Amino acid sequence: ASNPLTQPNEAVEDASVFDFDGISQYVNCGDNDAFSFGNGTTDTPFTLSAWFNADTLSSSQRFTIGKFDGGLEWLMQGRNNFISMTLYDSTSSSESLSTTYSASISTGVWTNIIFTYDGSGLTTGCKMYMNGSLLTTSNVKTSGYVAMGNKSSDLKIGARSGKEFDGKMSNVVLWSTDETAEISNIYNSGVPATTYTNTPTAWYKLDQSANWDVSGSGYWDIPDASGNGNDGISSGMTSA
């Protein structure tokens, strides 16, 4: 974490965010049915928004959020020249609905990415926005795709084996609805919103609301600000 207090069970300093080292640090939000958007036959809509400020973006260090470890479901990832979302078919990892968007993402500046999906199983139902503006799709793949499955994958922020995120992240928000009509509200003129029109499924502010675990296990507890109780825990991070 960035500038956290060292005392156990104390919140990180005001206006702080979590800083990932690009080696082994990530946040694990667990496996919950609320994070899955397919039953193997049909999909349901969802929206993902996140703010990040990368120190490095490359083929080996990417901005990543998804459910993919323990059974592929969905994965958002980005580097300096693209951002993508892949929805994996329930029957095979080689069958997916994948959309890639051209995007010039600079390091050292805060960027907001929003992905919306209408649950149709079609690439036309996928949209990606960067800093409030709709991105142009540069590549699509729909090989054999029918629907995602509900598998035993944890939702992880900043983790993908060999491609861990290096930089700061804030306000990772997930909805089980298509929030296309709310893009302006979510982007909020370039400042993370403090309220949303529709209640999120999960909301990880990654800020001073986090608390260091006092049990000796050595992790940050990141509360789910949506009120749904799906708290996350850090991995590989220290109290200072």
Side-chain angles (χ1 to χ4, degrees):
S2 178
N3 297 321
L5 298 180
T6 56
Q7 294 87 350
N9 209 32
E10 291 284 348
V12 298
E13 293 176 1
D14 289 350
S16 289
V17 294
F18 273 63
D19 195 344
F20 300 74
D21 65 3
I23 301 172
S24 61
Q25 297 178 342
Y26 62 91
V27 172
N28 190 333
C29 305
D31 179 28
N32 190 294
D33 289 346
F35 304 152
S36 296
F37 307 102
N39 61 11
T41 302
T42 58
D43 286 340
T44 57
F46 76 100
T47 298
L48 174 65
S49 172
W51 292 82
F52 67 95
N53 184 336
D55 294 326
T56 305
L57 286 172
S58 66
S59 59
S60 60
Q61 290 184 307
R62 304 183 181 191
F63 163 74
T64 58
I65 302 173
K67 286 189 94 245
F68 56 91
D69 186 7
L72 292 166
E73 293 189 41
W74 55 269
L75 173 65
M76 176 189 278
Q77 57 180 331
R79 46 186 289 189
N80 60 312
N81 59 354
F82 76 83
I83 189 85
S84 68
M85 175 65 88
T86 302
L87 312 182
Y88 295 95
D89 189 80
S90 63
T91 60
S92 172
S93 61
S94 63
E95 298 173 346
S96 63
L97 190 160
S98 179
T99 49
T100 302
Y101 306 83
S102 297
S104 179
I105 305 174
S106 301
T107 57
V109 297
W110 282 100
T111 299
N112 173 239
I113 293 293
I114 305 171
F115 172 80
T116 66
Y117 175 50
D118 65 5
S120 64
L122 303 172
T123 56
T124 53
C126 302
K127 293 181 174 64
M128 190 79 74
Y129 300 81
M130 186 171 78
N131 297 331
S133 296
L134 182 65
L135 295 175
T136 300
T137 306
S138 61
N139 187 44
V140 298
K141 177 184 176 183
T142 57
S143 174
Y145 185 81
V146 176
M148 291 176 283
N150 186 340
K151 301 187 177 183
S152 57
S153 302
D154 291 339
L155 172 59
K156 292 183 178 180
I157 300 170
R160 188 186 174 198
S161 181
K163 297 178 174 62
E164 284 78 6
F165 177 64
D166 178 18
K168 303 172 184 66
M169 208 178 302
S170 172
N171 284 276
V172 175
V173 192
L174 188 67
W175 289 264
S176 56
T177 50
D178 179 355
E179 294 292 302
T180 299
E182 293 295 322
I183 298 302
S184 179
N185 170 267
I186 296 170
Y187 178 56
N188 194 38
S189 300
V191 180
T194 57
T195 60
Y196 295 104
T197 303
N198 300 312
T199 302
T201 299
W203 181 2
Y204 304 101
K205 293 185 177 182
L206 299 171
D207 65 359
Q208 61 268 26
S209 61
N211 288 281
W212 183 251
D213 176 60
V214 297
S215 69
S217 299
Y219 62 81
W220 288 95
D221 180 83
I222 297 95
D224 173 10
S226 74
N228 290 320
N230 298 312
D231 295 355
I233 61 173
S234 69
S235 178
M237 296 181 179
T238 64
S239 63

